[in-house]
């Protein structure tokens, strides 16, 4: 079991481009969470998904950000028209249920130039 | 409001000294509390959760509901304990999402 896989590890985008971050949960895990870590801040919850469903997106910015977890394939966090303030580390975590120890991925560090 | 506070950004101790990383929380119900650790350039790992009452790598944490605290302790720090430590909670109505503190960097000097 390879654990939670996130790719890419590092992503550089120019302002206005789109960023796509991928997360493959651990085998057997159907719950996926995305967190963002801004410089000098802790991790902030963004969105919680199960297969084909968004359960809680209370932490997602209202515009430009979207997430999906299709029936087949990884979960995708998509940021359209990136701005400098989107530069952060984005972590994905998966769990077998909605209230049990997560396994985190290594994160994707997004830099907007 | 649900909140986790780690008042110290950096805690520096000498090897062999006791360590206490502070964590206070604000939650009206009965939360589940966790400590996560992130070693340099690695992913976050679950260190311990209050419900299991385990001791991992010599670390313990006791939930004090009266003081709403969940401080992490170790009697004798080791250099390999140097890392970033995050306290987090899941509330009963949280749909499983973790609320993190800002993190404390523990630096253990030789």
């Amino acid at each position: 079991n390879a654990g939670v896989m996130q790719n890419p590890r590092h992503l550089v985008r120019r302002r206005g481009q789109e960023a796509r971050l991928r997360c493959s949960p651990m085998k057997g895990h159907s719950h996926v969470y995305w967190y963002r870590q801004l410089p000098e801040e802790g991790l902030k919850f963004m969105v919680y998904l199960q297969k084909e469903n968004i359960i809680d997106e209370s932490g997602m910015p209202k515009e430009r950000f979207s997430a999906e977890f299709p029936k087949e394939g990884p979960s995708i966090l998509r940021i359209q028209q990136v701005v400098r303030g989107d530069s952060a580390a984005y972590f994905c975590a998966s769990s077998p249920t909605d209230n049990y120890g997560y396994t985190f991925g290594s994160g994707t560090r997004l830099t907007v130039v | 409001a649900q909140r986790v506070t780690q008042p110290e950004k950096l805690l520096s101790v000498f090897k062999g000294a006791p360590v206490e990383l502070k964590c206070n929380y604000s939650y009206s119900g009965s939360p589940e509390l966790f400590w996560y650790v992130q070693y340099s350039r690695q992913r976050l790992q679950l260190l311990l959760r209050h419900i299991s009452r385990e001791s991992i790598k010599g670390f313990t944490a006791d939930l004090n509901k009266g003081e709403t605290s969940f401080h992490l302790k170790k009697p004798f720090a080791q250099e390999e304990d140097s890392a970033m430590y995050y306290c987090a909670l899941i509330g009963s109505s949280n749909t499983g999402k973790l609320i993190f503190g800002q993190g404390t960097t523990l630096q253990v000097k030789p």
Side-chain angles (χ1 to χ4, degrees):
Chain A
N1 196 334
V4 178
M5 303 301 293
Q6 287 189 252
N7 65 82
R9 287 292 300 272
H10 300 276
L11 182 61
V12 179
R13 283 287 177 267
R14 294 186 186 283
R15 280 178 294 171
Q17 290 184 317
E18 179 180 284
R20 279 180 169 248
L21 289 63
R22 293 175 189 77
C23 169
S24 296
M26 280 187 73
K27 190 174 181 181
H29 287 194
S30 58
H31 300 251
V32 167
Y33 301 80
W34 285 93
Y35 291 83
R36 177 165 64 173
Q37 184 178 36
L38 292 165
E40 303 297 318
E41 295 186 23
L43 285 86
K44 295 280 195 286
F45 167 78
M46 298 182 76
V47 62
Y48 162 37
L49 309 107
Q50 292 180 30
K51 284 285 188 185
E52 299 184 278
N53 286 306
I54 296 174
I55 308 301
D56 181 345
E57 56 182 346
S58 57
M60 288 277 270
K62 293 285 183 267
E63 296 175 350
R64 302 186 298 107
F65 284 72
S66 62
E68 62 177 8
F69 188 17
K71 190 175 178 182
E72 301 290 338
S75 176
I76 306 284
L77 180 67
R78 185 179 174 212
I79 311 172
Q80 295 178 289
Q81 299 173 333
V82 295
V83 300
R84 287 234 170 96
D86 297 333
S87 295
Y90 292 82
F91 290 93
C92 167
S94 72
S95 72
T97 67
D98 65 356
N99 200 16
Y100 189 76
Y102 294 10
T103 300
F104 276 86
S106 299
T108 294
R109 299 196 182 277
L110 172 66
T111 303
V112 180
V113 297
Chain B
Q2 302 167 13
R3 188 180 300 137
V4 176
T5 303
Q6 293 178 251
E8 303 142 325
K9 276 189 84 169
L10 172 66
L11 182 63
S12 186
V13 302
F14 284 101
K15 178 182 171 182
V19 170
E20 183 178 67
L21 295 157
K22 291 184 168 44
C23 172
N24 289 89
Y25 67 91
S26 171
Y27 186 73
S28 56
S30 295
E32 187 165 353
L33 277 298
F34 301 81
W35 276 98
Y36 281 84
V37 60
Q38 186 177 30
Y39 299 102
S40 180
R41 301 183 186 283
Q42 295 186 27
R43 64 188 68 199
L44 270 81
Q45 301 171 42
L46 178 64
L47 185 60
L48 54 81
R49 54 193 300 192
H50 90 270
I51 202 167
S52 62
R53 295 186 172 273
E54 292 175 299
S55 172
I56 307 293
K57 299 186 179 183
F59 285 97
T60 58
D62 289 316
L63 179 61
N64 186 323
K65 290 186 179 180
E67 295 182 359
T68 59
S69 68
F70 188 55
H71 303 326
L72 184 69
K73 300 177 184 179
K74 185 169 182 176
F76 307 104
Q78 304 298 316
E79 288 182 69
E80 55 266 28
D81 296 329
S82 295
M84 181 73 125
Y85 291 80
Y86 291 98
C87 182
L89 73 80
I90 289 179
S92 53
S93 61
N94 267 14
T95 64
K97 67 189 181 196
L98 282 164
I99 297 171
F100 283 90
Q102 298 94 321
T104 299
T105 299
L106 174 63
Q107 185 182 74
V108 181
K109 296 178 281 190

